[in-house]
Amino acid sequence: PPADPAVTVANIYTLASAHHHVLNRVGYGTSPEGLRDVEQAGGALAWLQKQLDPDAIDDGVCEDYLRRLPDQSEAIWEVNDDIRSGRRSGWRQLHWVNTGMIVRAAWSRRQLLTALEEFWGNHFNVTVPSDDIRESRAHYQWTIRRHALGNFEDLLFAASTHPAMLSYLNNRESDDEHPNENQGRELLELHTVGLAAGYTEDDVLN
């Protein structure tokens, strides 16, 4: 790979080092383990290239921690059955989503994937905790992560049609006679083209 670029800094508490810079900008900051990974990869650019293929990165330590939490890819109907029967707390199920994100930020060696999971989770926001998403929010997090490094159109479709999004933005209360415009407006205004695109109220309702 090409040599790492020179880095200049204005902050006296930050090292002018490409290794530190890439960990601070792409991930969640420097650590002895992170700096070792960058060094072993052959530099900041080589490390960044490896981050684009997260499945090839051994993330065993983080996965050991995550095994203490429910599997986020678990079928929504199974989670719903557990909550309705009292085998699982819906409130704790929601908080486990935040716990999982913190665990990945702190311990995952797949730093770019984790940062993009947070970025896209914020862009396609489904606030946690909030109402009517206890059974679906963890699966939504898994869906965002699964598409975080992929095609935007696929991510947009997966997020927009997910039960957590449909519930959060009231689309499951919408029908052809009484459309609820909340998700249609967010889809155009925030998730895709933006206010400057010149869409109309009819576009939102359609």
Side-chain angles (χ1 to χ4, degrees):
D4 289 341
V7 175
T8 58
V9 296
N11 185 333
I12 62 171
Y13 300 104
T14 303
L15 293 177
S17 156
H19 293 192
H20 285 73
H21 183 74
V22 74
L23 289 169
N24 284 324
R25 293 301 299 267
V26 173
Y28 291 87
T30 58
S31 67
E33 295 80 6
L35 290 168
R36 186 184 62 237
D37 281 350
V38 176
E39 186 70 34
Q40 290 177 349
L45 293 177
W47 176 85
L48 186 56
Q49 190 67 37
K50 290 185 70 173
Q51 289 291 308
L52 293 171
D53 185 15
D55 289 340
I57 299 171
D58 177 10
D59 212 20
V61 171
C62 182
E63 288 168 358
D64 283 345
Y65 285 120
L66 290 170
R67 271 191 276 274
R68 304 177 189 182
L69 305 175
D71 180 0
Q72 292 186 336
S73 68
E74 189 176 2
I76 295 170
W77 69 266
E78 291 181 352
V79 177
N80 194 39
D81 278 356
D82 280 355
I83 292 172
R84 287 177 178 273
S85 68
R87 292 189 298 270
R88 189 182 315 202
S89 161
W91 184 249
R92 290 191 69 190
Q93 178 72 16
L94 287 174
H95 280 283
W96 280 325
V97 175
N98 292 331
T99 303
M101 189 67 226
I102 292 168
V103 167
R104 286 185 173 86
W107 283 287
S108 179
R109 295 177 64 215
R110 299 167 181 169
Q111 286 282 282
L112 176 61
L113 175 62
T114 305
L116 285 174
E117 175 187 344
E118 182 180 9
F119 174 83
W120 289 122
N122 182 57
H123 183 79
F124 295 106
N125 178 55
V126 174
T127 300
V128 57
S130 57
D131 295 334
D132 300 324
I133 59 165
R134 298 178 306 168
E135 72 281 0
S136 60
R137 186 56 180 78
H139 191 276
Y140 182 75
Q141 191 76 15
W142 173 78
T143 300
I144 292 287
R145 186 167 58 255
R146 191 162 54 95
H147 291 282
L149 275 163
N151 178 283
F152 177 76
E153 183 177 352
D154 295 338
L155 171 60
L156 174 66
F157 184 83
S160 297
T161 60
H162 195 278
M165 179 68 78
L166 296 172
S167 299
Y168 180 64
L169 293 182
N170 311 112
N171 210 22
R172 70 177 182 181
E173 301 167 9
S174 184
D175 59 42
D176 57 349
E177 294 184 3
H178 303 94
N180 185 310
E181 65 184 66
N182 199 20
Q183 186 172 358
R185 189 173 302 283
E186 298 286 290
L187 177 66
L188 292 172
E189 181 178 339
L190 298 178
H191 297 166
T192 57
V193 294
L195 285 169
Y199 56 82
T200 67
E201 185 69 14
D202 286 342
D203 293 328
V204 171
L205 293 174
N206 287 335

